Amino acid sequence: MSGCEARDAKKLVRSPSGLRMVPEHRSARSPFGLDEPPWVPDKECPRCMQCDTKFDFITRKHHCRRCGKCFCDKCCSKKVPLPRMCFVDPVRQCAECALISQKETEFYDKQLKVLMNGATFFVTLGTSDKSELMVCRLSNNQRYLVLDGDSHYEIEITQISTVQILTEGFTPGGGNTRAIGMILQYKVPGSEELTQMKFTASEDFSCNKKLSASWLAAMHKVSK
């Protein structure tokens, strides 16, 4: 096993909320992850925290795995995937949290995969007038934006301060503008100054345009 593979290795753990597949090393945790919340103690929760139904032998209490609050079965009946906490299977969540998790599922199922697959851009560093053709992708552990060409850069996601998507024109009929690039600003570890990179979509092939536009749209989603 290589050093990179060892650093990204995962292990299966059991928590009160369910089975989770988590990184062996805390330093390899995804910046998109969430910690499990502490559960509201049973003794502090005599009634459902949503509908105020009193708990008894028949009306049992359940904890939402996302917020940790206590609910009756009616108010906490949905089992929804929660990849931000690394759960292997869908877990019980209250209606409000389930709605949030369902919206996040699209990000994990679509945008995150697009970012990890990567796309090709001309990259300009700072105020330079020279650009370099590079493949840009999100690392497997989701912690770094990796740029590969003649040069190599690894930008930590948590150090990115701003992402500005560059667009052009309107599609026929007054549709949305088309993403053609982005300007990204980030901090280099050990420095307080911001470094800027400009990404411009390659115009070589129409398929590259579509891939780059999808990648930029996903990057915009991350930066929100």
Side-chain angles (χ1 to χ4, degrees), residues 171-182:
T171 57
N176 293 329
T177 54
R178 180 171 67 94
I180 59 170
M182 73 175 178

Side-chain angles (χ1 to χ4, degrees), residues 158-173:
T158 56
Q159 296 300 314
I160 295 176
S161 59
T162 60
V163 174
Q164 178 187 351
I165 302 299
L166 305 175
T167 60
E168 70 172 6
F170 287 89
T171 57

Side-chain angles (χ1 to χ4, degrees), residues 2-16:
S2 68
C4 183
E5 289 174 330
R7 187 172 64 248
D8 293 342
K10 296 184 178 181
K11 60 182 178 180
L12 191 65
V13 299
R14 181 179 291 279
S15 74

Side-chain angles (χ1 to χ4, degrees), residues 16 27 36-37 42 44-45 62 64 79 81-82 100 103-104 141 146 160 172 174 177 183 189 198 211 223:
S27 60
E36 282 190 83
D42 287 352
E44 296 179 11
C45 188
H62 302 278
C64 172
K79 289 192 174 182
L82 186 46
I100 296 172
K103 290 181 179 179
E104 290 174 348
N141 62 14
V146 180
I160 295 176
T177 54
I183 294 176
K198 181 179 180 180
L211 183 61
S223 64

Side-chain angles (χ1 to χ4, degrees), residues 108 191 193-194:
Y108 274 84
S191 173
E193 295 185 4
L194 291 176

Side-chain angles (χ1 to χ4, degrees), residues 77-146:
S77 61
K78 293 186 177 182
K79 289 192 174 182
V80 179
L82 186 46
R84 292 189 69 183
M85 290 186 191
C86 303
F87 285 110
V88 174
D89 300 310
V91 291
R92 188 184 291 270
Q93 298 177 57
C94 67
E96 183 177 348
C97 286
L99 186 61
I100 296 172
S101 295
Q102 286 169 342
K103 290 181 179 179
E104 290 174 348
T105 297
E106 181 183 353
F107 170 72
Y108 274 84
D109 287 347
K110 296 180 181 179
Q111 281 91 358
L112 205 56
K113 290 180 180 179
V114 168
L115 289 174
M116 293 172 74
N117 287 336
T120 303
F121 296 91
F122 286 105
V123 179
T124 306
L125 180 63
T127 58
S128 173
D129 57 358
K130 295 182 179 180
S131 60
E132 181 179 340
L133 190 62
M134 309 188 81
V135 176
C136 308
R137 63 178 180 83
L138 189 67
S139 63
N140 290 337
N141 62 14
Q142 305 160 12
R143 292 182 60 84
Y144 297 92
L145 186 60
V146 180

